[in-house]
Amino acid sequence: MNSMDAELEAALDAQEASGLRRTLRRVDSAQGREITLAGRRVLNFSSNDYLGLASHPAVTEASSRAARDFGAGSGASRLISGSLAPHHELEAALAAWKGSPAAITFGSGFAAAVGVIPALVGRSDVVILDRRVHACCVDGARLSGAKLRVCRHNDLTHLEELLRWARGRPGNRRILVITESVFSMDGDQAPVADLVALKDRYGAWLMLDEAHASGLFGNRRSGLAEAAGVAERVEVQMGTLGKAIGAAGGYVCGSRTLIEHLINQARSFIFSTAPVPAAAAGACEGIRRVQGPEGAERCAALWSRIGELAAMCPGLPASSAILPVLVGDERRTMGRSARLLDQGFFVPGIRFPTVARGQARLRISLTAAHHPADVTHLGTALSSPEV
């Protein structure tokens, strides 16, 4: 064993000792209500495919057709080898869905965040992050070199204190507030309308990550900003295409000036090969489905499943498709996850650094594909002393 491997093996051993070592779980099936995990079929309560579109025949056919027509790869970045039609069609669909003048897409939500934030702010500016915002936004903020301040979770009083401090610094500095509309590990909602009013009062910009709200809220099901009636006042609407949309990729919607600026300044866009055309076409079809009658039906079914599980398990939040069961200890969390798997339920355990130390939890995510009986069986298992 060489010296690098020896050091890394020691680090892995330390993670193992603290109950924090991860391993990959091979799945031999498409994402859906059930998956084949380690050779057996189990009910899947781990997926962010909230509306069950990842395996939808129309979505997969759109992806297949784009692969046949445009190939498996995109060739190079869109500024080098030309910008394929599926990407333009997707961005037009995104802008219309979000009620924005324009949109830009990235290979992932992570790539969107780490490209967009440094393109908007720099060393003389201030970024204010909600304490529980996704890691991609934290990393993007660090890359920007801006002065960082962390706001207590969903605490408007603390946010105003930070905004007042930032606005009082010498010079006309840019202030960017970054938060999620639905938080990925807690499932709770940000007070979006109040956030918009507050950032407007101090002349700040708001970057709102709608990854876990898109598909679930609003008449078009475009997210909490739409549902709150403030979408046009959010400067940067960010999200992913790999959750309720059922495909893959990340996006930002906003003004045409913003999007033109990102085309010229967002390094993860400029220096990355474009996403595969199949993903873009699948996402475009997913957006069409989400907005239409089928999307309304699937969304209603999802909210029914959420209500059913919350009714069986008092104390579980029911404000999104993410219903966390707080356990605390990392090893105990993983033990409960393993026992649920033994009973045929795949419910992942979430540990540090995804959540704070001592805040480990089971993260249950429900989808429109789940049956009422699935939820009943899971609720019974969760209340069992054996779990």
Side-chain angles (χ1 to χ4, degrees), residues 38-386:
R40 57 189 286 240
R41 297 292 286 179
V42 294
L43 283 170
N44 182 17
F45 290 98
S46 71
S47 176
N48 296 327
D49 179 25
Y50 298 127
L51 298 183
L53 292 176
S55 298
H56 191 290
V59 175
T60 56
E61 173 54 29
S63 295
S64 298
R65 187 166 57 251
R68 291 193 299 269
D69 293 346
F70 292 93
S74 294
S77 76
R78 292 168 66 184
L79 293 171
I80 293 293
S81 62
S83 187
L84 294 176
H87 298 121
H88 287 269
E89 292 165 4
L90 171 58
E91 286 162 353
L94 277 165
W97 181 43
K98 287 286 185 174
S100 297
I104 184 174
T105 52
F106 296 80
S108 68
F110 207 111
V114 298
V116 170
I117 299 170
L120 294 178
V121 291
R123 293 189 179 279
S124 62
D125 303 317
V126 175
V127 173
I128 301 174
L129 298 156
D130 185 282
R131 183 174 296 280
R132 296 183 186 173
V133 80
H134 193 271
C136 65
C137 295
V138 175
D139 288 358
R142 287 173 173 165
L143 282 171
S144 75
K147 180 76 72 176
L148 304 187
R149 289 293 183 269
V150 177
C151 179
R152 291 190 293 268
H153 180 54
N154 279 347
D155 188 327
L156 293 169
T157 300
H158 190 213
L159 175 58
E160 182 159 21
E161 291 173 6
L162 294 173
L163 285 167
R164 188 181 301 116
W165 166 82
R167 187 47 70 207
R169 297 180 76 219
N172 187 24
R173 310 301 187 187
R174 293 174 179 176
I175 305 170
L176 179 64
V177 177
I178 304 176
T179 191
E180 300 177 42
S181 56
V182 168
F183 288 85
S184 60
M185 293 299 137
D186 295 274
D188 58 338
Q189 300 178 12
V192 174
D194 293 332
L195 285 169
V196 167
L198 197 52
K199 65 90 182 174
D200 282 350
R201 192 180 312 156
Y202 287 88
W205 300 341
L206 176 62
M207 180 170 172
L208 185 67
D209 183 354
E210 294 258 51
H212 296 275
S214 299
L216 279 74
F217 301 92
N219 292 331
R220 297 189 306 274
R221 289 164 291 285
S222 72
L224 269 182
E226 181 207 346
V230 295
E232 72 283 355
R233 294 166 61 193
V234 177
E235 285 82 4
V236 186
Q237 294 190 61
M238 174 188 158
T240 58
L241 301 162
K243 297 179 173 58
I245 302 304
Y251 66 84
V252 165
C253 294
S255 69
R256 293 192 184 279
T257 302
L258 169 68
I259 301 310
E260 285 296 321
H261 176 76
L262 295 178
I263 288 170
N264 285 275
Q265 297 295 329
R267 292 172 66 84
S268 59
F269 176 84
I270 297 169
F271 297 110
S272 291
T273 297
V276 298
C284 199
E285 181 61 31
I287 290 169
R288 282 194 284 268
R289 297 280 159 177
V290 166
Q291 293 181 86
E294 184 179 7
E297 183 180 332
R298 286 172 178 259
C299 188
L302 171 58
W303 282 108
S304 292
R305 301 296 86 77
I306 294 167
E308 289 158 7
L309 186 59
M312 288 191 70
C313 303
L316 275 187
S319 56
S320 73
I322 302 160
L323 291 85
V325 178
L326 186 64
V327 180
D329 179 76
E330 281 81 9
R331 289 189 176 280
R332 195 153 59 90
T333 298
M334 300 313 294
R336 291 191 67 178
S337 178
R339 289 190 290 275
L340 282 167
L341 188 58
D342 288 342
Q343 296 185 31
F345 305 100
F346 182 31
V347 178
I350 306 297
R351 299 163 284 173
F352 177 84
T354 308
V355 295
R357 290 188 184 276
Q359 294 291 307
R361 68 205 53 196
L362 300 172
R363 182 187 184 271
I364 301 165
S365 51
L366 297 177
T367 77
H370 286 121
H371 299 167
D374 301 337
V375 172
T376 300
H377 294 327
L378 176 63
T380 301
L382 288 170
S383 61
S384 167
E386 297 178 0

